[in-house]
Amino acid sequence: MVPQQPSLRKTEMPASHPTEKSVWDLRRAELLSSLARPPQAAFNRSGRLTALASASRRIPDRLVAESLAQMLQSVTGERVLLLLLVPSDAGATAKVWSPIHSLPNNGFAFADQLQHLGSFDRLTLRVTNHLAERPFLSAFFGHCARHFGHVLIHVDADAPRQALAEAATRSSATYVLAQQTVDSLFEFNQLDRELRVARDGVATDLKLVLCLEHDEVPQPAEDFIKQIGQPAHLNLHESPATMDSLHSHCGGVWPVAFKFDLRRLAREIGRCRVGLALSSGGAKGLAHVGVLQVLEENGIEVDVVAGTSMGAYIGALWAFGHDGQFLGRKARELEGKWGLLKLIDPAFPPRRGFIHGHAIRERLERSIGDARFEQLARPLHVVATRFDTLERVVFSAGQVSSAVHASCAIPSVFVPVRLDGETYIDGGVSDPLPVDVLREAGVERVIAVNIIPTPAFLRCAREHEREQVDVKRSHFNFLRLLNQQINYFAYGNILDVTQRAVIGGQIRAAEDACRQADVVLRPLACDSRWHDFSNPGKYISLGRRVAEENLTEITKLVNRKDPIHEHESPHHELAAAA
């Protein structure tokens, strides 16, 4: 258990005469007023401050906060303060705090109250519900933010709501730990309403962090939107419900899945999340599997995945929790001359496309079932294209296999997919390499795997084909001639022409996306065809080779410690408190 901390240093003036007391109250009010925050319209939140609260008393939130602070220091390399706001003794009067701005050399006002817990510092602040304390809290939070790289403000469940309101106002984000129960979600709603009142009607932006117990399945996002007006922001899997369950089932150590998710939350707070963008590319997209295998083997953690077409299919399998070796085995099930037939379910008559695509969807469902985005081990964004307007559509809720089916609907090859009254085609038409999807989701570091060939590679491929034709021209081959006449995929035939037209539009979009990424991997081969599923090992090996060649660059990107704040000594004593 965390020991109780003494309240912060305070100074009280004796009230020997009512007039003297009122004069002191006026002076105190003036002092607090001078430290108060600017008006709400002009107030800038500090990126150093993050608030954490709980909507369930069963969650060991104090221990979660300490683990989060430790991980935050680990991923950012900056100095971290865990600030605990706890209620003062019942009936206690408002405190008269030592003026923050009176310290010499602009030092940290409460250095002697800090507890150094290895990788982070902890400070306990006792608060009451007295209105005079709120301006002090504003100045106090700003003072802490000036002396620490990150300040994680944990608000006790019994602390006054005005303390949480002030923390939420000053923080760049406010996370609320909750369970998937009626009582916990009701408490989340109640917390939101009370904060609105405490902030004079200003809307809150609480992020729901769902603590899922062992084997607990999260509700669909639509259900959360109906109950609390928003989906869960993040799931913490394998979350112990109580301190007793933590010690009895886990020996006092967090489960692996829970630590992984908590570390991902720390990277979000520290603004160093890693995203992986997987491009379209048909069979050539099997190179994504090799890239994922190398990332796993070298301990490269990825927080968010965005995929288009084949990138969406592989990304869905990986985000579900299957590892790279499993993906390799699934890919090799298509090996051989007739492997492609396992993916074909002909549409007759071929009025809107030659293939329905149901076989591909059913194949995916054999590995992930009817999983929804909310149930995935990693956040996934799937890109498709609305048929009527050719707009990009990003799926991040609902059934995963349906979204992937829509994302893989290659024009003229697959029949367009109908979902919820809308028709969709291949996401590669509108966004072949979804780096921008990750940037829009706030991901700070992006690794892009681009299978889209450049004109130079297309020239290389064409020259390779001509060489092969020259070698075979020495003798007549009836089967080759027949293939050219009846195979719609053959060079120069209708599906090949359509695909080249699509790729022509993708090249520039993919190159623009590459310029937005931090690291770009290009597993391209001159002798590759988008429908060549007969030799998956070739593409997997290519992806592995390219990832290994760029491993140093990837590792530097992931492990880079970027101070996001500049520590400057203020030139004026009042600036030290703001």
Side-chain angles (χ1 to χ4, degrees):
M1 296 296 290
V2 179
Q4 284 282 14
Q5 299 302 313
S7 60
L8 293 184
R9 188 168 45 207
K10 57 185 177 182
T11 304
E12 295 189 356
M13 289 291 293
S16 59
H17 189 276
T19 305
E20 293 179 3
K21 181 178 180 180
S22 61
V23 170
W24 168 247
D25 286 341
L26 289 174
R27 290 179 178 174
R28 181 181 64 182
E30 292 175 356
L31 169 65
L32 294 174
S33 178
S34 68
L35 299 178
R37 66 187 186 280
Q40 182 71 26
F43 183 77
N44 292 321
R45 298 185 178 186
S46 172
R48 305 168 188 259
L49 300 172
T50 303
L52 181 69
S54 177
S56 173
R57 295 184 181 275
R58 298 184 65 226
I59 299 173
D61 52 328
R62 179 78 65 86
L63 194 56
V64 171
E66 292 184 352
S67 298
L68 184 59
Q70 182 178 5
M71 291 181 178
L72 185 57
Q73 191 281 329
S74 174
V75 300
T76 64
E78 296 196 84
R79 193 180 179 195
V80 175
L81 171 65
L82 174 59
L83 179 59
L84 304 178
L85 300 187
V86 300
S88 183
D89 298 334
T93 57
K95 295 163 175 78
V96 183
W97 303 94
S98 173
I100 296 175
H101 65 276
S102 64
L103 290 177
N105 301 322
N106 298 319
F108 185 56
F110 309 100
D112 59 339
Q113 303 288 333
L114 286 176
Q115 278 191 311
H116 303 287
L117 302 179
S119 58
F120 67 95
D121 295 309
R122 186 175 66 192
L123 181 64
T124 302
L125 175 66
R126 296 185 182 277
V127 294
T128 70
N129 206 31
H130 199 286
L131 292 177
E133 283 188 2
R134 187 167 182 182
F136 163 77
L137 286 175
S138 177
F140 176 73
F141 294 151
H143 181 69
C144 293
R146 179 158 294 281
H147 292 273
F148 290 86
H150 290 277
V151 180
L152 183 62
I153 307 171
H154 174 250
V155 186
D156 189 270
D158 296 319
R161 285 292 189 254
Q162 74 162 7
L164 178 56
E166 193 61 40
T169 301
R170 290 302 304 259
S171 298
S172 58
T174 302
Y175 298 92
V176 180
L177 303 175
Q179 292 180 303
Q180 200 169 241
T181 63
V182 174
D183 292 341
S184 184
L185 296 179
F186 174 81
E187 181 65 22
F188 180 87
N189 269 329
Q190 184 70 15
L191 186 65
D192 183 63
R193 287 193 294 267
E194 291 181 7
L195 284 183
R196 286 174 182 266
V197 174
R199 298 175 61 182
D200 300 325
V202 178
T204 60
D205 185 22
L206 303 182
K207 299 181 183 296
L208 177 65
V209 178
L210 198 60
C211 297
L212 300 172
E213 298 182 37
H214 180 66
D215 289 337
E216 186 177 6
V217 178
Q219 297 178 20
E222 296 84 352
D223 293 347
F224 279 110
I225 293 175
K226 292 178 182 178
Q227 295 180 69
I228 62 176
Q230 61 174 292
H233 178 75
L234 181 70
N235 293 332
L236 298 180
H237 297 84
E238 301 291 332
S239 173
T242 62
M243 287 291 295
D244 292 339
S245 65
L246 175 62
H247 287 280
S248 61
H249 299 293
C250 311
V253 179
W254 294 119
V256 174
F258 183 82
K259 289 179 66 176
F260 177 85
D261 291 335
L262 199 63
R263 187 173 177 85
R264 180 151 51 91
L265 177 58
R267 286 196 291 269
E268 178 177 324
I269 295 173
R271 301 181 185 178
C272 53
R273 286 183 298 172
V274 176
L276 184 65
L278 304 178
S279 78
S280 57
K284 297 180 292 183
L286 295 175
H288 295 320
V289 175
V291 172
L292 296 177
Q293 290 177 350
V294 172
L295 295 182
E296 288 180 348
E297 293 165 4
N298 291 274
I300 305 297
E301 294 183 357
V302 173
D303 300 293
V304 187
V305 181
T308 297
S309 197
M310 192 61 176
Y313 188 100
I314 293 175
L317 289 169
W318 198 56
F320 181 79
H322 294 302
D323 62 14
Q325 296 304 316
F326 175 88
L327 300 184
R329 292 194 299 271
K330 295 298 291 184
R332 287 184 170 86
E333 291 178 359
L334 303 175
E335 197 164 15
K337 183 179 297 185
W338 311 110
L340 180 62
L341 295 180
K342 298 178 181 179
L343 302 177
I344 294 178
D345 50 346
F348 187 82
R351 183 172 54 87
R352 306 175 64 207
F354 290 87
I355 302 172
H356 283 295
H358 299 310
I360 293 177
R361 175 176 172 174
E362 291 169 359
R363 186 175 185 83
L364 176 63
E365 289 177 347
R366 285 198 289 270
S367 298
I368 69 172
D370 58 352
R372 302 176 67 86
F373 283 87
E374 300 83 7
Q375 299 171 329
L376 299 178
R378 291 181 179 86
L380 173 69
H381 300 279
V382 171
V383 177
T385 302
R386 185 171 282 117
F387 178 77
D388 293 331
T389 61
L390 298 181
E391 293 175 292
R392 184 195 71 179
V393 178
V394 181
F395 291 96
S396 58
Q399 189 176 19
V400 177
S401 60
S402 299
V404 173
H405 183 195
S407 181
C408 294
I410 302 173
S412 77
V413 179
F414 290 89
V415 175
V417 177
R418 188 82 172 170
L419 292 178
D420 298 327
E422 293 285 350
T423 304
Y424 300 94
I425 58 175
D426 192 343
V429 173
S430 57
D431 195 351
L433 181 60
V435 173
D436 53 347
V437 173
L438 296 175
R439 293 300 189 191
E440 291 167 8
V443 177
E444 294 80 11
R445 304 172 183 183
V446 176
I447 302 170
V449 186
N450 184 18
I451 313 295
I452 309 299
T454 62
F457 268 90
L458 291 176
R459 285 195 297 271
C460 173
R462 183 55 183 152
E463 291 173 0
H464 181 269
E465 290 178 358
R466 287 172 177 170
E467 291 175 357
Q468 296 297 317
V469 170
D470 291 340
V471 170
K472 296 176 180 179
R473 275 179 179 172
S474 57
H475 59 279
F476 176 77
N477 190 320
F478 175 77
L479 292 179
R480 186 173 71 251
L481 178 62
L482 181 63
N483 177 71
Q484 184 68 38
Q485 297 299 318
I486 67 174
N487 182 5
Y488 290 103
F489 294 95
Y491 175 80
N493 285 355
I494 181 171
L495 295 183
D496 183 62
V497 171
T498 302
Q499 284 308 298
R500 289 180 183 275
V502 172
I503 293 174
Q506 291 178 337
I507 291 175
R508 183 177 295 244
E511 292 306 307
D512 288 343
C514 287
R515 285 189 282 271
Q516 300 180 47
D518 297 288
V519 175
V520 179
L521 309 181
R522 297 177 182 270
L524 300 173
C526 290
D527 58 343
S528 60
R529 300 292 295 273
W530 68 270
H531 53 81
D532 179 21
F533 287 92
S534 62
N535 190 8
K538 176 179 71 174
Y539 299 110
I540 295 174
S541 298
L542 179 60
R544 289 187 60 89
R545 187 178 77 235
V546 172
E548 289 168 350
E549 291 172 351
N550 292 271
L551 187 58
T552 300
E553 190 177 359
I554 295 172
T555 304
K556 287 181 179 179
L557 172 69
V558 174
N559 297 331
R560 188 177 66 206
K561 298 294 189 295
D562 287 336
I564 60 175
H565 314 295
E566 295 183 4
H567 297 271
E568 297 180 358
S569 298
H571 300 292
H572 191 276
E573 58 184 10
L574 285 180

